[in-house]
Each structure stands twice: as structure tokens, then as C-alpha cells.
Amino acid sequence: CKKALQEAFELKPDKNTPLIATISRLADQKGFDLIVASLEEMLSYGTQYAVLGTGERKYHDIFTELAKKFPNTFGIKIAYDNKLAHLIEAGADMFLMPSKYEPCGLNQLYSLKYGTVPIVRGVGGLEDTIVDYTKERDKGTGFKFYAYSASEMLDAVKRALNIYKNKDAWRTLVSRCMNEDFSWQKSADEYLALYKKAIKKHESR
């Protein structure tokens, strides 16, 4: 999957290079101003980065130029492509979501199921669904930062990359991500338990 993803974005095929990805509407709300400000430094860490999405024209232009500047390490597809989105989730090592605000967020949940470790800003649904590995290694499912700044985001990326170097630790983290359960079955069971509790309380009156 990773090799296919690298080929799709015309990145240098290398299974050992950490590949970060984002699928999103290209807009300020999704944190793309942070990504633009820090992309060159992030690539200098020895990473590759792939972005899929459409949105504000300024980001179309900026990312198109950056792809020309970094042809082997950065790729952009300005499109809505569900098949490619699934390939990204399956082939990337990490998924970056530095949102300004995120009422729910779905891609971090898809990433967990695919074993693509999320790097997120701890806001809204991202805060609710991702446990920071740095603080809780035995429970962590991703890497979080809080201040809305490029430096804070890059610090989270570096923390993820440091763990990526330890293959055993990384495999354990990926396995934990894939075992997370945000399905409707779990929600339905919790609602059912709540209803039963309410009925029992009512009957005892």
C-alpha cells in the first residue's frame, strides 16, 4: 500500500521513509497555514508528505509550486477522490490534522482503523478521540499538540518520528490504534445500557 501510494504521488519509493499524509478541505480552518509555514522543515526531517483535497485557491497554487520544488518528497492531488483517499489511509504511516477547530473529525477515526497514526491538534473531536502517546504510552493512540503554532505542530511530528524509529514500539502503537472502537455498535450498546439504567431507576420509584 505504501509503495502504491508513493507511486500515485510520484514520490521516491522507499518503505523506510516515514510518509505523512493529509486528506482535507484546503482551508485555514484545517490548519493549512501551519502546514505551509512548516512544510520545508518537516521534509528536512527525512519525511515524505502527501496531500489530497480541494479548497481555497491560494492553497491550490502554493501546494502546486511546493510539489515542483520538492518532487521526490511532497505530492499534492487537488481533487476529491474516494479511492485515492482509502489508499492514503492504507499506505501512509502518519496522518496530520492540525485543525483550528474540529467539531467532530472523521479522518482521525479512519486513520485509527487503518493503523495510520494520527498527529492532531487537541481540539474538539480530535481531543475527544485521540490519546497522546507522549503522555500515556500504554494508552496512546497518536500525538497531540495544543497551541496553534507551526513550532508546536512540528514538535508533535518530531515526537512521532522518534517513535517511528523504534519498530517494536511503533508496531505496538499501530496495533493499539487499529483496536480502537468508535463503531455504532459500541455507541448503541452504551445507549442501551443507559436506557436500561433509566428504566430500572423509574421502576424503583
Side-chain angles (χ1 to χ4, degrees):
C1 290
K2 185 172 184 176
K3 184 174 184 290
L5 177 57
Q6 289 169 326
E7 290 173 351
F9 279 83
E10 299 180 358
L11 304 174
K12 182 180 178 180
D14 184 349
K15 66 179 182 179
N16 295 315
T17 297
L19 176 50
I20 304 170
T22 298
I23 305 165
S24 178
R25 180 167 50 87
L26 307 181
D28 291 343
Q29 183 234 320
K30 299 296 185 177
F32 278 100
D33 52 333
L34 300 187
I35 292 171
V36 168
S38 58
L39 179 61
E40 189 164 352
E41 183 172 346
M42 184 164 62
L43 295 178
S44 75
Y45 301 156
T47 67
Q48 293 177 338
Y49 186 40
V51 176
L52 170 66
T54 63
E56 297 176 20
R57 182 70 195 188
K58 65 178 180 179
Y59 289 122
H60 290 199
D61 296 338
I62 291 170
F63 284 130
T64 298
E65 289 304 310
L66 286 169
K68 293 176 182 176
K69 186 176 180 181
F70 303 103
N72 293 316
T73 53
F74 175 68
I76 175 74
K77 297 289 186 183
I78 300 173
Y80 176 83
D81 187 326
N82 188 54
K83 183 178 179 180
L84 183 57
H86 281 279
L87 178 60
I88 288 171
E89 292 285 12
D93 297 299
M94 304 159 203
F95 196 93
L96 181 59
M97 292 183 72
S99 303
K100 278 187 178 178
Y101 57 93
E102 195 65 64
C104 177
L106 293 174
N107 277 107
Q108 83 277 14
L109 302 182
Y110 303 154
S111 297
L112 290 172
K113 189 55 67 178
Y114 273 99
T116 302
V117 177
I119 303 171
V120 304
R121 183 163 174 259
V123 62
L126 303 178
E127 170 70 0
D128 294 338
T129 54
I130 303 301
V131 178
D132 186 27
Y133 181 89
T134 308
K135 293 181 178 178
E136 298 188 68
R137 293 203 170 201
D138 60 335
K139 297 179 181 178
T141 54
F143 297 85
K144 286 161 63 167
F145 65 101
Y146 289 91
Y148 191 76
S149 74
S151 62
E152 289 286 323
M153 186 188 78
L154 286 170
D155 182 64
V157 170
K158 285 187 283 188
R159 284 186 274 121
L161 292 174
N162 282 334
I163 301 304
Y164 182 80
K165 294 174 185 176
N166 184 332
K167 295 305 180 185
D168 289 338
W170 190 258
R171 278 193 290 267
T172 299
L173 171 56
V174 167
S175 178
R176 188 183 302 123
C177 287
M178 295 178 78
N179 280 295
E180 287 289 286
D181 185 5
F182 290 96
S183 67
W184 276 112
Q185 182 62 53
K186 181 180 179 183
S187 297
D189 288 344
E190 290 178 357
Y191 275 118
L192 182 59
L194 179 62
Y195 292 144
K196 287 180 177 178
K197 184 178 179 181
I199 291 169
K200 187 175 181 180
K201 185 174 183 180
H202 178 74
E203 289 175 343
S204 66
R205 289 181 176 177

